[in-house]
């Protein structure tokens, strides 16, 4: 199974060419844009003759797409070039489409004489649909259009007000919608158009009833006991830097008028854990109920040390690369002889969520999963 790199025009999605490369790396991430990095051998004879190639890799005007079979793993705007004169090679770096929202402000399309400081936008809908409205606003400007397929509207009682004077970044506001208790997963997933001539992005969002984005059907399974599974080298990261039993959230206002909310769970102090606290600021939040939801979400995220499992799997073994995406549910076999995890958990299949998948042109794929703490078998 070989990963192909395409480049094209970002605003139209039109594929320009297949990129000749000597190396590549790519990552797909949950609730965040992934990355693509390629090495183009500009000194190679067959590449030197393609004088239009560098123009087809124009930063921000063009995108890179990592494709396996007919599935796009990640795609998004090119952000940087580095040319190595000794190796006569060009390194090109791109990020997922969501990265462009780090460069779009939460303001309406400007007409002559408009004063952004006086703009106010209030939306009442589901959190996912409010995120959609922010994206629609970003695309309403001159030069703002993108080949992005938006989800249907979902009714809801959530209300958010945004002010032009904040000059907030669209992605920051979308991340706030994700981070509230019950907030939706939001993904900008690339795919080839039916004719295969363009790439388009599908904005997928969780719903109020099911805020998590995941596959339909059974969990994906990576079982090291199975022949040809290719599952090897399970590493573990366990980090308690964010552990907290009391969570604070601050909103709008200053000094004694600062809006504040708190949630706590002190049960762990009864078994010897010291009191730990966490805090996040949401300067645009003016409603205490919304701020309380942020505090509860923060407490939920910091309730236990953050653990992830990293392992390698074969790209062409079941499940095959391209079938699964970050956010999907999986089951991973934990052996009884793992030097670290055997002291914490019994052997068995553990349900996990896929957080990141990365790799190169061929061969092994690297996985990062967040495990649930109960064995399935």
């Amino acid at each position: 199974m070989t990963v192909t790199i395409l480049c094209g025009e970002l605003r139209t999605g039109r594929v320009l060419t297949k990129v000749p490369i000597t190396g590549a790396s790519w990552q797909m991430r949950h609730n965040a844009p992934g990355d693509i990095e390629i090495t183009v051998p500009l000194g190679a004879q067959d590449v030197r003759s393609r004088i239009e190639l560098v123009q087809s890799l124009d930063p921000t005007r063009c995108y890179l797409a990592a494709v396996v079979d007919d599935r796009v793993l990640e795609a998004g705007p090119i952000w940087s070039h580095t040319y190595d004169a000794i190796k006569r090679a060009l390194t090109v770096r791109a990020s997922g489409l969501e990265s462009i929202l780090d460069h779009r402000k939460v303001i309406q399309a400007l007409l002559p004489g408009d004063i952004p400081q006086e703009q106010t936008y209030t939306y009442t809908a589901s959190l996912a649909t409010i995120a959609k409205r922010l994206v629609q606003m970003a695309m309403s400007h001159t030069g703002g259009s993108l080949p992005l397929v938006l989800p249907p509207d979902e009714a809801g009682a959530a209300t958010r007000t945004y002010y032009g004077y904040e000059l907030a970044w669209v992605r920051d506001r979308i991340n706030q919608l994700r981070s509230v208790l019950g907030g939706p997963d939001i993904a900008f997933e690339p795919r080839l158009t039916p004719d295969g001539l363009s790439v388009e992005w599908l904005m997928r969002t969780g719903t109020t009833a099911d805020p998590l984005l995941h596959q339909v059907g059974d969990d994906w399974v990576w079982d090291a006991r199975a022949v040809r599974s290719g599952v090897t080298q399970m590493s573990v990261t366990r980090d308690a830097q964010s552990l907290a039993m009391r969570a604070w959230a601050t909103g709008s206002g200053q000094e004694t008028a600062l809006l504040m909310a708190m949630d706590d769970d002190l049960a762990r102090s009864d078994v010897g854990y010291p009191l730990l606290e966490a805090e996040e600021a949401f300067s645009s939040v003016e409603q205490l109920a919304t701020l309380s939801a942020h505090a509860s979400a923060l407490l939920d995220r910091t309730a236990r040390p953050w653990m992830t499992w990293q392992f390698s799997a074969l790209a062409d073994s079941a499940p095959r690369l391209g079938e699964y995406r970050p956010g999907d549910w999986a089951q991973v076999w934990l052996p009884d002889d793992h030097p670290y995890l055997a002291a914490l958990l019994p052997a068995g299949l553990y349900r996990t969520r896929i957080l990141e998948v990365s790799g190169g042109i061929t061969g092994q794929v690297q996985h990062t999963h967040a495990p649930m703490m109960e064995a399935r078998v």
Side-chain angles (χ1 to χ4, degrees):
M1 180 176 290
T2 301
V3 174
T4 299
I5 302 296
L6 305 177
C7 67
E9 297 171 338
L10 182 67
R11 288 178 58 188
T12 66
R14 182 170 69 96
V15 173
L16 294 175
T17 188
K18 177 182 175 181
V19 185
I21 58 174
T22 55
S25 64
W26 51 266
Q27 295 85 32
M28 298 185 290
R29 295 190 178 95
H30 176 54
N31 271 338
D35 294 306
I36 303 173
E37 181 175 309
I38 62 172
T39 302
V40 183
L42 293 185
Q45 184 175 358
D46 59 336
V47 177
R48 285 203 310 270
S49 63
R50 298 179 58 182
I51 59 175
E52 82 291 347
L53 180 60
V54 173
Q55 297 172 343
S56 298
L57 297 170
D58 194 13
T60 71
R61 185 179 69 84
C62 297
Y63 66 82
L64 293 182
V67 182
V68 60
D69 297 331
D70 60 348
R71 297 174 182 264
V72 184
L73 302 174
E74 183 58 284
I78 296 168
W79 291 108
S80 72
H81 288 182
T82 301
Y83 177 69
D84 187 320
I86 297 175
K87 297 180 180 179
R88 303 182 71 185
L90 177 68
T91 299
V92 183
R93 301 175 185 87
S95 294
L97 185 72
E98 188 179 342
S99 66
I100 206 167
L101 300 181
D102 283 324
H103 303 266
R104 298 281 181 92
K105 292 292 188 181
V106 182
I107 56 174
Q108 291 176 341
L110 297 176
L111 298 174
D114 281 352
I115 302 175
Q117 297 94 313
E118 297 179 356
Q119 294 183 3
T120 301
Y121 334 103
T122 298
Y123 304 115
T124 299
S126 69
L127 294 171
T129 296
I130 293 174
K132 173 184 172 180
R133 296 285 180 265
L134 292 173
V135 172
Q136 287 175 315
M137 185 189 299
M139 293 199 299
S140 68
H141 294 255
T142 300
S145 63
L146 296 166
L148 181 59
V149 180
L150 297 174
D153 286 355
E154 181 190 25
T159 298
R160 294 293 187 274
T161 299
Y162 303 105
Y163 301 96
Y165 65 77
E166 295 174 329
L167 282 180
W169 297 111
V170 172
R171 186 159 176 254
D172 286 345
R173 293 296 181 251
I174 287 177
N175 279 334
Q176 286 186 356
L177 297 171
R178 284 175 169 137
S179 66
V180 72
L181 189 66
D185 286 346
I186 300 170
F188 298 82
E189 293 185 0
R191 64 187 183 187
L192 289 171
T193 54
D195 60 13
L197 300 178
S198 298
V199 171
E200 64 183 8
W201 286 261
L202 175 65
M203 182 180 177
R204 294 182 59 216
T205 63
T207 64
T208 302
D210 185 7
L212 304 182
L213 288 176
H214 52 85
Q215 78 273 38
V216 176
D218 296 336
D219 295 354
W220 304 111
V221 177
W222 280 273
D223 189 342
R225 299 169 300 173
V227 177
R228 287 281 300 164
S229 71
V231 177
T232 58
Q233 302 173 346
M234 182 181 288
S235 300
V236 182
T237 298
R238 191 180 183 204
D239 188 352
Q241 290 290 329
S242 61
L243 188 66
M245 298 153 207
R246 180 180 291 146
W248 300 89
T250 59
S252 64
Q254 296 180 349
E255 298 180 352
T256 57
L258 180 66
L259 192 66
M260 302 177 68
M262 183 271 289
D263 197 359
D264 62 19
D265 179 4
L266 303 180
R268 286 192 302 276
S269 64
D270 296 336
V271 291
Y273 287 92
L275 174 65
L276 301 170
E277 299 181 90
E279 182 262 337
E280 283 187 347
F282 304 91
S283 60
S284 64
V285 175
E286 298 179 328
Q287 301 296 321
L288 183 58
T290 301
L291 199 62
S292 295
H294 279 295
S296 296
L298 178 59
L299 183 66
D300 185 64
R301 293 197 305 273
T302 59
R304 60 191 61 84
W306 181 243
M307 182 185 288
T308 57
W309 296 352
Q310 301 85 31
F311 61 89
S312 297
L314 292 174
D316 58 357
S317 64
R320 290 168 60 87
L321 176 63
E323 294 179 335
Y324 51 87
R325 300 196 71 88
D328 284 358
W329 290 106
Q331 294 184 43
V332 177
W333 175 256
L334 173 62
D336 59 7
D337 60 350
H338 192 279
Y340 176 75
L341 289 174
L344 304 175
L345 300 167
L349 279 171
Y350 283 78
R351 201 176 199 211
T352 67
R353 279 198 88 195
I354 304 173
L355 299 182
E356 181 176 315
V357 184
S358 61
I361 302 174
T362 60
Q364 295 285 332
V365 177
Q366 308 303 315
H367 285 246
T368 299
H369 291 216
M372 307 297 104
M373 291 295 103
E374 293 182 3
R376 303 296 294 265
V377 296

